[in-house]
Amino acid sequence: MSPAIISVPCPPAFLDPLTQIEQCYYYAVPKFFGLNHPNTRWLITMIRNNESDRLKHKMEISPGAFKGVYYQMMDCPQLYMPEDVAASPMFKRQAVVYLSPLGMAMYLANIAMTELFLTYKDTYDEVLCDPLEPQYATHLQDNEAGDFHSFPPYVIMLRRNFFSCAQNLLKAGWDPSQPVAMPMRRKFERRVIYYRDWLDVSLSVLTTRPMFPLQVLIREITKGSDYAPLKMPLQQLLPPNPAEAPPIGLINVDELPPGVQMIGVRSLLDMAEHYDRYLQMRQCARDVAVLKKEASAVGLNPEVLMIQAQDFDGGAIPAEQTDNSNVELGVNNSSVAELPDDLAKRHVMLNVNTSAKQKEDLDPQYASEGCRILHFALNRDPHGKSMQVCMEAFCVLLRRGFYLQSTKPEPGSSLARDARNTAALMLNLIQREQGKVDRIVEKIKSGVKKFAHLEEHKQLENRKTACILYMNKLVGVLTTLLLHTKGLVDFIRSDFPPFSPNNSNFPLNPYLAQKFEDIKFGIIQEFNSRKEAWMFLDKEMLQIVAGIPQMQLRFKVGKTPTVPPKKGKNKNKSNMSNTNSCFVTYTRVQRKPKKSATGAVPTAASSAATDAGTYSENVSLAASLEYGADQADSGARAASPEDRGTCGDATSLSDVPDLSDMVAASEDVAGLMRSAAARLEHSTIEPELAPTPMPTPEASPERNGGNAGKSTSRSAASSNPPSSRRPPSVSRRQPLQVRLKQNGVVRLFNRISGRGAAASSEAEDRAR
């Protein structure tokens, strides 16, 4: 379908009732080029073919063709991009849009042309396309009489899913935190669509399009350093009186907050002032033309006269000094006057003795972007259609570090309150998923016959499994949030409710009391599964976690080995063979005690495993634990922060604790390992087996016969000390893995105790 055969309706124009000249608005589309105009077709072709050189040449010759000019288009992307079959319109295919060159480049999803229109400046150093220039659309609701709607350019970015231009708009001067009022005028209706910031606009689009990629939009907007996080006052999200809540969305013009101007419309007062200035400039142009004619008649050059007239100051009179010159001189000489306006105000505010109420105003309660997204998913989306999109968008904010804190915030600060509010919303979302599981289970149990509806039961079981898996994901996100806000330890040690009503603005679901212990258990499991989770805890938190038997701490202290591991061999073995440095990994794992060869469990080993846990499989003796503690003490003090490991979790950032916290953590690890070593020293451990003696040439059975071999073995057995004999409960022939394990422990013990290199080498040769 070609645009040439489409009959486009004319744009309507509306005027408000003339009650007050300040509040009487005129709704009309400015001057534009039609759908079939050659200029419109030429610009569309240039944008589609990326003809940047030809566009720059046209901008240099006639910049007026791009500044303040609009082009008529149909809201049907397939007319201009036939290859993009899945492209969806902004509003509907019957609508007509009037876009500027910047809006046309964004509508056609061309990032190179969008950047060109935003950055190009004319000879007067003025940008041709403004990122706040209004765009227009008609015939959205009424196809016959028509209607009028105007919107900013970033609405095109949202509705056309063209998120790659977000950074260009931010650099060009777009402020995402500014409110926007978009008029929606019909024949007998005078309304406006009001939103507080860009997030409200995005969530409104998510309401009509449940699969709107909000996470991609947040990732693109927060990617650069030009973006500042939004902090909306909490009273706007949760007003004290619900009836006094500020209206959002489609409202009447009379309900618009004071100070907010509608985009794309002008009042009669502005139009009258503009027309008055236009008449003055027109009369001035006529006078200048008469003067130029008189000058040329006398013989003067009118061009030289025009240049001289521009340089003439008009005889400006200097401003008179005020009577109180001393006060003015003192203000001019003050340090506050030398600062910019915003810094001067801040300097004055800090020097004034503020009261308690003013101190509260300095730290007002706010709702962060993540809190608003979770509030939308919980209250405005009760059926959970856009639940997955909201959670992915919240995870993007977590990865960007919007909740990451280096130190634990004060309990009464607005930062800590926002963290508690976000955690409360996460708990309510988990309870909503648990309610879905309970309803599914009740529906399964309500069947009269066991196999009456087998297919339906399979579907219910699949839905229940999906809800349980999604609950696990929510618990993982909650764990990351608590780690970033330094509230994990307090949450684990608390009972239901974890937050008092005075410290949180969102009430918890009362049914959470039944599942609160299960949620804490899931958080502990998630904490234990992350190797870098301990990096988010300070010294006090580490001491508390070390006393909780269910939680695991995985430290990496000391310098990494200088000798790289060889290919095809165990890395742990190569690390332990390096005597210059030791890389100690502390992991506390609750394991069952190992049984002996006869099948019985030693009492000392079972008590040690129950009390302190099994710290390692290969290093289980007291001497090895003492060696690891000493190396942890020495290595943690000498290691640099780069050698202590980095935080590489998927939902975490580079939040490595400082050197003092790392040293304190290593001291705690050394103390724990020494205590375990002391307990193992007092316990009874079976004596290790002596290595099997190698047959000598004199006592070989081939030369001396069987009797000589028997006598040699008896004499060797009698010459051995009693401590090296095998216990009667252990079989005479041990497996190869057991002997290698025992020999490895012997070599480690010899190295720790400082025996001679010759003795250790002889023992190793005999073991081989």
mmCIF file of all heavy atoms in Angstrom, residues 154-170:
data_model
loop_
_atom_site.group_PDB
_atom_site.id
_atom_site.type_symbol
_atom_site.label_atom_id
_atom_site.label_comp_id
_atom_site.label_asym_id
_atom_site.label_seq_id
_atom_site.Cartn_x
_atom_site.Cartn_y
_atom_site.Cartn_z
ATOM 1 N N TYR A 154 10.313 11.746 23.813
ATOM 2 C CA TYR A 154 10.667 10.468 24.445
ATOM 3 C C TYR A 154 9.486 9.506 24.517
ATOM 4 O O TYR A 154 9.681 8.314 24.765
ATOM 5 C CB TYR A 154 11.275 10.708 25.828
ATOM 6 C CG TYR A 154 10.327 11.106 26.916
ATOM 7 C CD1 TYR A 154 9.676 10.147 27.683
ATOM 8 C CD2 TYR A 154 10.102 12.437 27.223
ATOM 9 C CE1 TYR A 154 8.820 10.505 28.702
ATOM 10 C CE2 TYR A 154 9.259 12.807 28.237
ATOM 11 C CZ TYR A 154 8.616 11.837 28.984
ATOM 12 O OH TYR A 154 7.769 12.203 29.991
ATOM 13 N N VAL A 155 8.264 9.991 24.296
ATOM 14 C CA VAL A 155 7.117 9.085 24.190
ATOM 15 C C VAL A 155 7.246 8.221 22.936
ATOM 16 O O VAL A 155 6.852 7.050 22.924
ATOM 17 C CB VAL A 155 5.804 9.883 24.211
ATOM 18 C CG1 VAL A 155 4.605 8.968 23.982
ATOM 19 C CG2 VAL A 155 5.653 10.615 25.529
ATOM 20 N N ILE A 156 7.817 8.781 21.877
ATOM 21 C CA ILE A 156 8.079 7.970 20.672
ATOM 22 C C ILE A 156 9.073 6.861 21.001
ATOM 23 O O ILE A 156 8.931 5.718 20.544
ATOM 24 C CB ILE A 156 8.616 8.871 19.538
ATOM 25 C CG1 ILE A 156 7.637 10.014 19.257
ATOM 26 C CG2 ILE A 156 8.857 8.061 18.279
ATOM 27 C CD1 ILE A 156 8.134 10.992 18.214
ATOM 28 N N MET A 157 10.088 7.186 21.799
ATOM 29 C CA MET A 157 11.059 6.172 22.196
ATOM 30 C C MET A 157 10.385 5.038 22.975
ATOM 31 O O MET A 157 10.717 3.855 22.775
ATOM 32 C CB MET A 157 12.148 6.828 23.057
ATOM 33 C CG MET A 157 13.147 5.866 23.662
ATOM 34 S SD MET A 157 14.270 6.655 24.837
ATOM 35 C CE MET A 157 13.130 7.029 26.177
ATOM 36 N N LEU A 158 9.442 5.360 23.834
ATOM 37 C CA LEU A 158 8.780 4.335 24.639
ATOM 38 C C LEU A 158 7.818 3.506 23.812
ATOM 39 O O LEU A 158 7.801 2.266 23.909
ATOM 40 C CB LEU A 158 8.045 4.992 25.811
ATOM 41 C CG LEU A 158 8.902 5.775 26.821
ATOM 42 C CD1 LEU A 158 8.017 6.379 27.901
ATOM 43 C CD2 LEU A 158 9.948 4.893 27.438
ATOM 44 N N ARG A 159 7.008 4.154 22.999
ATOM 45 C CA ARG A 159 5.957 3.434 22.269
ATOM 46 C C ARG A 159 6.477 2.714 21.032
ATOM 47 O O ARG A 159 5.824 1.801 20.549
ATOM 48 C CB ARG A 159 4.835 4.399 21.885
ATOM 49 C CG ARG A 159 4.044 4.896 23.094
ATOM 50 C CD ARG A 159 2.794 5.643 22.670
ATOM 51 N NE ARG A 159 1.924 5.906 23.798
ATOM 52 C CZ ARG A 159 0.986 5.064 24.242
ATOM 53 N NH1 ARG A 159 0.804 3.911 23.623
ATOM 54 N NH2 ARG A 159 0.233 5.375 25.273
ATOM 55 N N ARG A 160 7.644 3.112 20.548
ATOM 56 C CA ARG A 160 8.230 2.420 19.397
ATOM 57 C C ARG A 160 9.359 1.479 19.803
ATOM 58 O O ARG A 160 10.021 0.894 18.944
ATOM 59 C CB ARG A 160 8.760 3.436 18.384
ATOM 60 C CG ARG A 160 7.670 4.197 17.652
ATOM 61 C CD ARG A 160 7.010 3.389 16.556
ATOM 62 N NE ARG A 160 7.945 3.114 15.490
ATOM 63 C CZ ARG A 160 8.234 1.900 15.016
ATOM 64 N NH1 ARG A 160 7.658 0.829 15.536
ATOM 65 N NH2 ARG A 160 9.095 1.734 14.035
ATOM 66 N N ASN A 161 9.603 1.343 21.128
ATOM 67 C CA ASN A 161 10.650 0.460 21.661
ATOM 68 C C ASN A 161 12.021 0.793 21.066
ATOM 69 O O ASN A 161 12.838 -0.094 20.793
ATOM 70 C CB ASN A 161 10.317 -1.013 21.408
ATOM 71 C CG ASN A 161 9.059 -1.446 22.127
ATOM 72 O OD1 ASN A 161 8.580 -0.773 23.037
ATOM 73 N ND2 ASN A 161 8.505 -2.579 21.734
ATOM 74 N N PHE A 162 12.270 2.087 20.910
ATOM 75 C CA PHE A 162 13.549 2.559 20.364
ATOM 76 C C PHE A 162 14.381 3.103 21.529
ATOM 77 O O PHE A 162 14.580 4.301 21.687
ATOM 78 C CB PHE A 162 13.288 3.635 19.304
ATOM 79 C CG PHE A 162 14.518 4.132 18.617
ATOM 80 C CD1 PHE A 162 15.422 3.258 18.039
ATOM 81 C CD2 PHE A 162 14.772 5.487 18.539
ATOM 82 C CE1 PHE A 162 16.564 3.724 17.407
ATOM 83 C CE2 PHE A 162 15.902 5.959 17.899
ATOM 84 C CZ PHE A 162 16.799 5.077 17.337
ATOM 85 N N PHE A 163 14.892 2.170 22.369
ATOM 86 C CA PHE A 163 15.539 2.554 23.619
ATOM 87 C C PHE A 163 17.008 2.931 23.443
ATOM 88 O O PHE A 163 17.601 3.468 24.372
ATOM 89 C CB PHE A 163 15.441 1.403 24.622
ATOM 90 C CG PHE A 163 14.034 0.926 24.849
ATOM 91 C CD1 PHE A 163 13.738 -0.433 24.899
ATOM 92 C CD2 PHE A 163 13.004 1.824 24.989
ATOM 93 C CE1 PHE A 163 12.449 -0.875 25.098
ATOM 94 C CE2 PHE A 163 11.698 1.399 25.187
ATOM 95 C CZ PHE A 163 11.417 0.048 25.241
ATOM 96 N N SER A 164 17.588 2.664 22.294
ATOM 97 C CA SER A 164 19.013 2.961 22.109
ATOM 98 C C SER A 164 19.302 4.454 22.013
ATOM 99 O O SER A 164 20.471 4.859 22.111
ATOM 100 C CB SER A 164 19.530 2.262 20.850
ATOM 101 O OG SER A 164 18.778 2.658 19.716
ATOM 102 N N CYS A 165 18.274 5.280 21.857
ATOM 103 C CA CYS A 165 18.491 6.728 21.761
ATOM 104 C C CYS A 165 18.336 7.420 23.110
ATOM 105 O O CYS A 165 18.341 8.659 23.163
ATOM 106 C CB CYS A 165 17.530 7.348 20.751
ATOM 107 S SG CYS A 165 15.793 7.260 21.243
ATOM 108 N N ALA A 166 18.199 6.669 24.197
ATOM 109 C CA ALA A 166 17.973 7.290 25.510
ATOM 110 C C ALA A 166 19.180 8.120 25.942
ATOM 111 O O ALA A 166 19.027 9.241 26.451
ATOM 112 C CB ALA A 166 17.663 6.211 26.551
ATOM 113 N N GLN A 167 20.385 7.590 25.741
ATOM 114 C CA GLN A 167 21.579 8.333 26.143
ATOM 115 C C GLN A 167 21.761 9.606 25.321
ATOM 116 O O GLN A 167 22.215 10.632 25.844
ATOM 117 C CB GLN A 167 22.809 7.437 26.014
ATOM 118 C CG GLN A 167 22.867 6.312 27.033
ATOM 119 C CD GLN A 167 22.953 6.842 28.450
ATOM 120 O OE1 GLN A 167 23.670 7.801 28.735
ATOM 121 N NE2 GLN A 167 22.212 6.224 29.352
ATOM 122 N N ASN A 168 21.386 9.574 24.054
ATOM 123 C CA ASN A 168 21.481 10.781 23.225
ATOM 124 C C ASN A 168 20.516 11.853 23.706
ATOM 125 O O ASN A 168 20.855 13.048 23.722
ATOM 126 C CB ASN A 168 21.193 10.431 21.766
ATOM 127 C CG ASN A 168 22.232 9.490 21.182
ATOM 128 O OD1 ASN A 168 23.401 9.543 21.550
ATOM 129 N ND2 ASN A 168 21.812 8.612 20.289
ATOM 130 N N LEU A 169 19.313 11.457 24.116
ATOM 131 C CA LEU A 169 18.364 12.434 24.642
ATOM 132 C C LEU A 169 18.847 13.019 25.965
ATOM 133 O O LEU A 169 18.680 14.218 26.219
ATOM 134 C CB LEU A 169 16.995 11.774 24.827
ATOM 135 C CG LEU A 169 16.238 11.380 23.558
ATOM 136 C CD1 LEU A 169 14.953 10.656 23.910
ATOM 137 C CD2 LEU A 169 15.931 12.606 22.716
ATOM 138 N N LEU A 170 19.442 12.192 26.811
ATOM 139 C CA LEU A 170 19.953 12.697 28.086
ATOM 140 C C LEU A 170 21.091 13.697 27.875
ATOM 141 O O LEU A 170 21.156 14.735 28.554
ATOM 142 C CB LEU A 170 20.425 11.534 28.954
ATOM 143 C CG LEU A 170 19.339 10.638 29.558
ATOM 144 C CD1 LEU A 170 19.966 9.424 30.219
ATOM 145 C CD2 LEU A 170 18.501 11.413 30.564
#
